[in-house]
Amino acid sequence: MSTAPKIWTRETGLVEKRDLWAAMKRGFRGRCPRCGQGKLFRAFLKTADHCASCGLDFTPHRADDLPAYLVIVIVGHIVVPTILWIETNYTTPVWLSFVAYLPFTFFASLALLQPVKGAVVGLQWALRMHGFDENPPDGIPPV
């Protein structure tokens, strides 16, 4: 660890302002979290290498499994209470339950997966996480 004191100047304190909610909303829509113009994804869940509009590098993001976990929580909080309400108030045949609940759960999960991953990438950019910081701390190797 370096014992040399850091000298703070006006320039070291000037950093780009990053609005968390705007970045997450842009990411949710599949757009660049910085400018909102370029595409965030080049395939269904593959992020682009950089923004075509502002040039922001997307390669340092580390969304990993968080979007899948969040989708499970969101869809579960919609599907489970609905199933419990229907099954306690109405008598439905088992085949009808499978025909209705399974496809809805599957398609709702697929529909939310890309927007939630985009929001997670926007969150990481706004909070300067995982290489989205211009001035990373000394002594920490890149991921």
Side-chain angles (χ1 to χ4, degrees):
M1 182 159 262
S2 163
T3 59
K6 292 208 180 234
I7 299 173
W8 293 96
T9 62
R10 180 178 295 250
E11 288 76 28
T12 59
L14 294 176
V15 293
E16 175 185 16
K17 300 275 188 218
R18 297 182 180 181
D19 184 19
L20 176 68
W21 298 112
M24 288 179 66
K25 185 170 65 171
R26 291 173 184 156
F28 189 83
R29 291 184 318 196
R31 297 293 175 191
C32 171
R34 180 194 284 164
C35 68
Q37 300 299 318
K39 289 185 177 183
L40 181 60
F41 296 99
R42 62 180 160 92
F44 180 63
L45 290 177
K46 298 281 186 187
T47 57
D49 292 332
H50 63 279
C51 175
S53 181
C54 69
L56 176 65
D57 184 19
F58 298 133
T59 55
H61 90 84
R62 297 287 178 259
D64 298 332
D65 292 335
L66 181 62
Y69 291 131
L70 292 177
V71 167
I72 289 169
V73 169
I74 293 167
V75 173
H77 277 81
I78 295 169
V79 170
V80 171
T82 305
I83 290 173
L84 288 174
W85 180 77
I86 291 172
E87 293 298 324
T88 56
N89 293 324
Y90 304 101
T91 305
T92 58
V94 174
W95 69 268
L96 182 62
S97 298
F98 281 119
V99 167
Y101 305 145
L102 292 178
F104 176 77
T105 304
F106 177 73
F107 288 115
S109 298
L110 280 181
L112 281 175
L113 198 54
Q114 186 182 36
V116 169
K117 182 173 182 175
V120 168
V121 172
L123 172 88
Q124 290 176 352
W125 175 80
L127 296 179
R128 303 180 193 300
M129 297 170 64
H130 303 296
F132 282 120
D133 190 9
E134 296 86 19
N135 303 313
D138 297 332
I140 298 178
V143 180

